[in-house]
Amino acid sequence: MSDPEALRVLYIEDEDNIRTVGQFALEEVGGMVVEPCPSGRSALEQGPGFRADVILLDVMMPGMDGVATFKALREHPATAAVPVIFMTAKVQPQEVEAYLRMGAVSVIAKPFDPISLSDEVRAILERVQAAPARL
Amino acid sequence: MNPLASTRAEKLRQLRDNFVRQIPGMLDTLTAACRSEAWTEAHRHAHTLAGTAGTFGLEEVGVEARSLELLLQDVPATGGAPDPLVLGERIARLQAAVTRVRPPAQA
């Protein structure tokens, strides 16, 4: 049975292998509760009922990409206020700034380290909670 | 290594090995897309291979796949094509990197 205090992560990633290792990293290493979504569309179906504390969102996905998914999640009352962290290989400063201007709280670079991913997510959320006025 | 860390390491090794078994097929799909001049599809396959390889610590494969991804990313949406010599070189480097990947542990 999962810890009721465990961080709840809506994890949106289309690539099966990356999603599997990411879920392992967050659950087994980080002790988090993870709802994996293979697409933006599935995130919109699964997200509202999951009550996530944070959303990890891949940028480059077929069909509904990360940006479109982000905007759609922002439109739904159940997910509108959930902090979103983009995950992408596109981490040039101007790209990161664009994601932050859009409303994401941070960007995690891919490829990620499975052992430290959960620590990175926690550190981001701690910064968010400590300084919400700067968002 | 403590037992928990050992279990996690073993699980990650299994996930890595599962991916390594898929690489030849992924490379075939990528090169087929290039031969068909399906550049958007090829770009996507290169992106997937680059990201997944990097996540599993297959740095050389990840770097070469990323190099190919960046080449394909710059192909115009209509009527464009990458320089065939550069494309051929980057595919060859990726293929060579794949041959150097440590095979999965025997079951």
Side-chain angles (χ1 to χ4, degrees):
Chain A
M1 184 176 294
S2 61
D3 177 357
E5 300 295 324
L7 205 66
R8 298 174 64 81
V9 184
L10 186 69
Y11 179 38
I12 309 163
E13 166 62 60
D14 68 293
E15 212 295 304
D16 291 342
N17 287 299
I18 296 178
R19 191 175 64 253
T20 299
V21 73
Q23 182 174 0
F24 167 80
L26 295 167
E27 287 183 339
E28 302 295 327
V29 181
M32 300 174 179
V33 176
V34 177
E35 180 76 0
C37 305
S39 69
R41 297 236 173 269
S42 66
L44 295 178
E45 292 167 7
Q46 297 165 233
F50 176 65
R51 296 178 294 108
D53 296 308
V54 64
I55 297 171
L56 294 190
L57 177 52
D58 182 27
V59 172
M60 191 163 164
M61 297 189 291
M64 193 173 193
D65 68 10
V67 171
T69 303
F70 175 84
K71 291 177 180 175
L73 288 168
R74 278 293 181 266
E75 294 289 314
H76 196 295
T79 52
V82 180
V84 174
I85 301 171
F86 276 115
M87 297 187 73
T88 179
K90 296 178 182 283
V91 288
Q92 294 300 311
Q94 64 272 20
E95 292 164 325
V96 171
E97 192 172 330
Y99 296 132
L100 297 179
R101 273 203 309 272
M102 198 183 301
V105 298
S106 192
V107 178
I108 290 178
K110 292 170 78 175
F112 57 83
D113 175 6
I115 300 303
S116 63
L117 176 64
S118 56
D119 286 342
E120 199 169 350
V121 171
R122 280 203 178 87
I124 290 168
L125 289 180
E126 284 170 9
R127 285 200 302 272
V128 168
Q129 287 159 6
R134 286 205 285 274
L135 292 179
Chain B
M1 186 183 286
N2 69 54
L4 184 55
S6 177
T7 301
R8 289 172 183 166
E10 174 60 21
K11 176 64 176 178
L12 281 172
R13 188 190 63 75
Q14 290 173 1
L15 292 174
R16 175 200 176 277
D17 286 350
N18 183 55
F19 170 64
V20 168
R21 293 185 189 96
Q22 297 171 33
I23 290 177
M26 295 175 74
L27 189 53
D28 285 346
T29 302
L30 169 55
T31 52
C34 290
R35 278 197 301 272
S36 306
E37 299 185 0
W39 305 122
T40 300
E41 181 187 339
H43 172 245
R44 176 154 178 70
H45 290 311
H47 172 82
T48 297
L49 185 54
T52 314
T55 301
F56 285 111
L58 305 178
E59 188 172 343
E60 188 183 4
V61 173
V63 166
E64 297 302 343
R66 185 72 68 202
S67 175
L68 183 55
E69 176 195 355
L70 292 174
L71 174 68
L72 294 167
Q73 174 179 286
D74 292 335
V75 175
T78 55
D83 181 306
L85 288 177
V86 177
L87 177 65
E89 180 201 8
R90 294 197 187 182
I91 288 176
R93 278 166 33 189
L94 175 56
Q95 289 170 330
V98 169
T99 65
R100 288 189 284 271
V101 172
R102 178 175 57 82
Q106 294 300 313

